[in-house]
Amino acid sequence: MLNEQPAVDGIEKIAKETPDLTEENVQKLIELFPDVATEVRDPVTGEVVKGVNPEALLDRIGKTAGGGVSRCP
């Protein structure tokens, strides 16, 4: 590939982009808490995808996630 360059002095170049871990994290949350799963429509593609209902997740895990901070209505 054009972007690949040989290692210089034993230092290997790494990718400069951070992978998007959102989908992986959503799947992990759904595995842990199946009752918070929901389906949402992707605003870009229009495709229906699995998501996490944040209100249901907060209800499920309780105040430990919010650090006791209350949210304004």
Side-chain angles (χ1 to χ4, degrees):
M1 299 184 87
L2 296 175
N3 293 338
E4 291 182 15
Q5 297 179 3
V8 178
D9 296 326
I11 299 174
E12 182 181 335
K13 294 199 178 228
I14 57 172
K16 295 179 182 178
E17 296 179 13
T18 304
D20 183 7
L21 301 175
T22 303
E23 181 63 30
E24 182 180 333
N25 290 336
V26 166
Q27 292 303 319
K28 287 178 182 179
L29 284 169
I30 291 172
E31 287 175 22
L32 291 171
F33 309 107
D35 53 321
V36 304
T38 188
E39 290 183 341
V40 294
R41 188 169 304 277
D42 185 309
V44 176
T45 65
E47 179 182 353
V48 176
V49 295
K50 287 187 178 183
V52 172
N53 180 330
E55 295 293 326
L57 180 61
L58 187 58
D59 288 344
R60 181 72 160 84
I61 59 178
K63 294 181 180 181
T64 57
V69 177
S70 63
R71 296 179 297 166
C72 296

